[in-house]
Amino acid sequence: QRLCISASTSETWLQRNFTKYSRMVIVADGKRLALFNPCPLTDAVKADLAKLGTVELVCATNCSHYMCTPQYLTAFPSARAIVPAGLLVKRPELGEHCEPFPEEASGSVFPGTQYFRLPDFHQEHLIFVEAANLLWCADTVSPHQKGAPNPGRTVLSPFIWPFVGRLRMSMQQWQEQSSSPGSILFADYSRQFRPAGAVAQQANVKVWKEVLALPITRVATAHGHYRGWVDVTPASLDRLFEHIEAEDTWWDKGGRAIFRGCVLGCCTCAFSEWTPLFEDVPSAASDSDETTE
């Protein structure tokens, strides 16, 4: 098996500084190719794929990273296309060409790979590439190399989202791990999208415990300041799990209350892409109301 990681590129200063980029993982089984998290399909990317083999699988790994998928459906009409089930609710037009991930929370959709579905609204599917000992995770973790800028909260954060909360990683994680070899940080912002209480937290911990028991030595994500992948250590993975297990902070609780009250409760028309991903669209509710869930 072979593994390649391709990143979309931007040519101008404005594009490099203001355009969100994304990485794609290419797994080859002989001359059969599987593409996880499709990046923009440029002529250069298409030429490289032709050299590697035949595209047999195109896979969007969560309900946020799918924008480039239609390009691949057009370019490779005979390829199988798999997306999270929630994406077919969010974007029903994809149902004509795409099928959902299997109902099982873990399994395989291509030889030499395993998927693990996180129980969060965006249905993140972690992908483990066995031959490379590589864990792919689009948004829920962020690996960093020494010298990379802090991706934490910024003055622009209130303008990016209409609620208060951790948008990236906690400062505690950054201070403890940013200078460590193979540091990998948990994206705490995902906590505010969950229901409050122990049930949702334990469901996430259960999946991560299974995933981090795998022989992971490399991590790649859709974003992050590095090239290719980041080599990680057992110690850095242990620290990651400690943060995943940690209880919610007031940042998480405040962000959750505002998100569920404003985005899901009062402004559903303004966030029509979000609300279909939640089974319940509550009225404004506080964390104290949800603690029994």
Side-chain angles (χ1 to χ4, degrees):
Q1 287 184 328
R2 291 171 292 163
L3 170 73
C4 303
I5 298 181
S6 175
S8 57
T9 57
S10 301
E11 297 180 355
T12 69
W13 179 91
L14 184 65
Q15 289 174 322
R16 286 195 302 271
N17 286 274
F18 291 93
T19 300
K20 191 175 184 180
Y21 64 91
S22 186
R23 291 184 180 86
M24 174 172 71
V25 173
I26 307 166
V27 179
D29 180 37
K31 299 295 288 184
R32 303 168 58 213
L33 304 180
L35 314 180
F36 294 96
N37 194 64
C39 67
L41 184 59
T42 63
D43 290 340
V45 171
K46 188 180 294 186
D48 286 342
L49 290 174
K51 294 175 184 177
L52 290 172
T54 301
V55 176
E56 291 201 0
L57 174 67
V58 177
C59 184
T61 57
N62 70 23
C63 291
S64 299
H65 285 258
Y66 66 90
M67 296 294 290
C68 299
T69 301
Q71 291 180 286
Y72 289 79
L73 299 180
T74 300
F76 308 103
S78 61
R80 182 185 183 193
I82 297 179
V83 301
L87 186 55
L88 298 179
V89 177
K90 180 180 179 179
R91 284 286 181 265
E93 64 272 18
L94 292 176
E96 182 178 352
H97 304 287
C98 302
E99 62 184 271
F101 269 91
E103 292 185 7
E104 293 78 14
S106 62
S108 178
V109 293
F110 191 77
T113 67
Q114 301 176 51
Y115 73 83
F116 300 84
R117 182 163 52 249
L118 291 173
D120 286 327
F121 83 101
H122 60 330
Q123 297 179 14
E124 179 93 277
H125 287 73
L126 311 178
I127 305 296
F128 181 63
V129 184
E130 296 168 352
N133 290 337
L134 179 135
L135 176 66
W136 162 263
C137 181
D139 288 323
T140 313
V141 299
S142 182
H144 288 273
Q145 293 171 328
K146 189 174 181 180
N150 184 347
R153 306 181 191 96
T154 71
V155 294
L156 295 177
S157 294
F159 301 99
I160 298 173
W161 297 104
F163 50 87
V164 179
R166 287 193 276 192
L167 298 183
R168 291 297 177 200
M169 297 76 192
S170 68
M171 188 59 66
Q172 178 187 4
Q173 281 192 88
W174 180 260
Q175 292 172 341
E176 291 178 356
Q177 300 184 49
S178 61
S179 60
S180 302
S183 62
I184 175 172
L185 311 182
F186 180 62
D188 285 299
Y189 74 90
S190 62
R191 294 173 180 267
Q192 60 196 341
F193 303 128
R194 304 175 190 162
V199 174
Q201 169 72 349
Q202 290 171 0
N204 273 268
V205 169
K206 180 180 178 181
V207 176
W208 276 108
K209 187 174 183 178
E210 182 180 3
V211 170
L212 295 179
L214 297 168
I216 299 166
T217 59
R218 300 167 175 170
V219 171
T221 59
H223 313 298
H225 298 274
Y226 63 89
R227 287 188 176 274
W229 57 75
V230 171
D231 294 318
V232 296
T233 65
S236 63
L237 295 175
D238 287 343
R239 288 193 294 269
L240 170 66
F241 189 63
E242 289 175 4
H243 284 285
I244 292 173
E245 282 189 304
E247 296 182 358
D248 291 345
T249 67
W250 67 270
W251 278 96
D252 307 313
K253 295 176 182 179
R256 180 182 298 117
I258 296 175
F259 174 75
R260 295 181 73 84
C262 296
V263 177
L264 296 186
C266 304
C267 306
T268 55
C269 59
F271 300 95
S272 57
E273 290 192 357
W274 286 69
T275 52
L277 301 181
F278 293 82
E279 293 181 359
D280 59 326
V281 182
S283 57
S286 66
D287 263 284
S288 60
D289 294 327
E290 299 176 334
T291 53
T292 57
E293 293 183 22

